[in-house]
């Protein structure tokens, strides 16, 4: 097991302890600095000592499973966040499972404003689809505007589950023991492609359409009992304001149902759906445009920020 002995962190009292924030990063303007794994604390990034530069956060997941990782950081001074570039926490995630129409208010929004992309009713079973792993980008990375392909680019702020332990046909009682932690995903969507192709893969998987980050927080550091607030801002305007307690299918439901058909592996992601307030739901619609800033904020985790470029 990786050991955790950073004096800056262990000298804090339990009331002062912040959630463990695991990141993958490089140094700004240093092309020779390979992607590395670290911990964010006090606006500094502390590289992990026992994970070499060729390893990744996936290795931490494999070693820890669903346990809170005990990590040892380098004793040298941490790197200021201003001097690093945060990449997607998982550079090469496994399957990215997504869930359609999983918030009650979003069901009404879809059925009234986005007719033609799904059956007009609350789903009896979760609508599961996937995004291409190659669409993943990190915190503050650009989302490429797809000129000539789509003119209806939309945002969907979501809580994402990071699987830490493999399993198939997972029982409800064991479901949470397969969760390593949580991160934030913006399930960027080309609504016109989503409707045109019916199968949602192309509209959801365009290059850069899966911002993820800025870090992964272990499950033990997140209290889901009262739900987590999920908010999305576009150019500082609050667009989405939901709570994970409003999900139709819980995390336990999703893990049980997905694993009944597909074996889950460390590094797989389950994006749990988005609340009401997507751009397509406004009248007239408020689709994203080049230059827009999108921030997804989830209580207990942080903020994922990206700009639309192109």
């Amino acid at each position: 097991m990786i050991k955790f002995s950073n004096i800056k962190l262990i000298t804090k009292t339990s009331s002062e302890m912040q959630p463990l924030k695991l990141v993958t990063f490089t140094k700004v303007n240093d092309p020779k600095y390979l992607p590395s794994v670290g911990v964010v604390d006090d606006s500094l990034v502390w590289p992990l000592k026992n994970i070499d530069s060729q390893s990744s956060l996936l290795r931490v997941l494999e070693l820890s499973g669903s346990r809170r990782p005990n990590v040892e950081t380098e004793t040298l001074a941490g790197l200021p966040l201003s001097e690093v570039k945060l990449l997607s926490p998982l550079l090469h995630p496994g399957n990215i499972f997504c869930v359609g129409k999983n918030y009650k208010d979003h069901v009404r929004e879809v059925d009234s404003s986005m007719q033609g992309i799904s059956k007009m009713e609350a789903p009896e079973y979760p609508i599961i689809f996937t995004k291409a792993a190659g669409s993943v980008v990190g915190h503050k990375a650009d989302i490429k505007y797809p000129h000539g392909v789509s003119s209806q680019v939309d945002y969907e702020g979501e809580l994402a589950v990071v699987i830490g332990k493999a399993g198939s046909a997972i029982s409800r009682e064991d479901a949470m023991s397969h969760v390593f932690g949580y991160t934030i995903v913006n399930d960027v969507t080309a609504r016109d492609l989503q409707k045109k192709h019916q199968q949602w893969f192309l509209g959801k998987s365009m290059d850069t359409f899966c911002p993820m980050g800025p870090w992964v927080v272990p499950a033990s550091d997140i209290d889901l009992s009262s739900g987590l607030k999920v908010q999305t801002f576009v150019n500082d305007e609050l667009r989405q304001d939901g709570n994970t307690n409003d999900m139709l299918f819980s995390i336990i439901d999703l893990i049980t149902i997905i694993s009944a058909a597909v074996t889950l592996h460390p590094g797989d992601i389950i994006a749990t759906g988005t609340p009401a307030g997507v751009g397509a739901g406004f009248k007239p619609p408020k689709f994203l445009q080049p230059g827009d800033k999108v921030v997804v904020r989830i209580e207990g985790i942080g903020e994922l920020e990206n700009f639309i470029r192109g």
Side-chain angles (χ1 to χ4, degrees):
M1 181 182 295
I2 308 170
K3 295 181 179 179
F4 177 65
S5 63
N6 187 318
I7 295 176
K8 282 181 60 60
L9 297 176
I10 65 172
T11 55
K12 295 180 178 179
T13 67
S14 58
S15 62
E16 294 173 325
M17 287 292 287
Q18 298 296 313
L20 184 63
K21 301 172 181 177
L22 293 160
V23 296
T24 300
F25 70 97
T26 59
K27 285 185 179 180
V28 174
N29 300 323
D30 187 352
K32 295 183 180 180
Y33 194 92
L34 296 175
S36 301
V37 181
V39 173
V40 174
D41 181 64
D42 290 341
S43 299
L44 298 173
V45 177
W46 299 83
L48 297 195
K49 186 174 183 180
N50 292 339
I51 298 291
D52 64 47
S53 60
Q54 298 302 310
S55 296
S56 67
L57 187 54
L58 179 60
R59 181 61 176 155
V60 177
L61 269 61
E62 292 169 342
L63 291 169
S64 303
S66 60
R67 300 187 307 272
R68 189 183 197 272
N70 294 316
V71 293
E72 183 177 355
T73 59
E74 296 286 359
T75 57
L76 300 176
L79 302 170
L81 276 171
S82 60
E83 295 181 9
V84 305
K85 176 182 180 181
L86 296 183
L87 307 174
S88 171
L90 290 163
L91 291 178
H92 305 289
N95 289 313
I96 303 175
F97 300 99
C98 302
V99 188
K101 298 175 71 172
N102 198 31
Y103 281 74
K104 300 168 188 175
D105 288 346
H106 185 54
V107 170
R108 292 190 286 270
E109 176 180 59
V110 169
D111 290 351
S112 64
S113 302
M114 291 174 270
Q115 297 178 13
I117 67 170
S118 71
K119 188 183 297 185
M120 291 183 61
E121 58 187 29
E124 181 179 1
Y125 302 98
I127 300 171
I128 305 297
F129 60 95
T130 59
K131 291 177 80 81
S135 65
V136 170
V137 293
H139 178 58
K140 295 194 175 181
D142 290 343
I143 299 169
K144 181 181 177 182
Y145 192 86
H147 290 286
V149 181
S150 171
S151 60
Q152 298 181 1
V153 179
D154 211 344
Y155 52 85
E156 294 189 4
E158 309 197 8
L159 174 69
V161 177
V162 181
I163 298 298
K165 185 173 70 172
S168 61
I170 299 168
S171 69
R172 294 185 62 83
E173 294 73 22
D174 291 338
M176 297 306 289
S177 72
H178 291 261
V179 176
F180 173 82
Y182 303 97
T183 189
I184 303 172
V185 158
N186 185 351
D187 178 17
V188 182
T189 304
R191 296 294 180 200
D192 36 10
L193 268 65
Q194 182 183 25
K195 183 175 182 179
K196 184 193 315 184
H197 293 283
Q198 292 295 292
Q199 291 286 344
W200 297 353
F201 183 77
L202 290 181
K204 297 280 189 175
S205 295
M206 302 189 73
D207 291 347
T208 72
F209 268 31
C210 190
M212 183 185 299
W215 37 67
V216 172
V217 176
S220 59
D221 292 9
I222 298 289
D223 181 7
L224 295 174
S225 60
S226 299
L228 302 178
K229 183 175 288 189
V230 179
Q231 297 176 306
T232 302
F233 300 81
V234 178
N235 301 326
D236 300 321
E237 176 193 1
L238 178 62
R239 297 279 185 88
Q240 295 184 286
D241 191 5
N243 188 288
T244 57
N245 276 351
D246 293 331
M247 290 193 296
L248 295 173
F249 301 97
S250 69
I251 292 170
I252 291 176
D253 293 332
L254 297 174
I255 290 173
T256 302
I257 291 168
I258 293 171
S259 71
V262 180
T263 298
L264 294 176
H265 296 279
D268 283 348
I269 301 294
I270 302 176
T272 56
T274 199
V278 299
F282 288 89
K283 296 182 179 180
K286 295 183 177 182
F287 294 122
L288 297 172
Q289 301 297 327
D292 284 348
K293 179 179 74 172
V294 186
V295 175
V296 181
R297 178 187 299 161
I298 297 185
E299 183 180 7
I301 301 177
E303 294 185 351
L304 172 66
E305 177 185 305
N306 300 91
F307 282 87
I308 311 300
R309 303 294 188 194

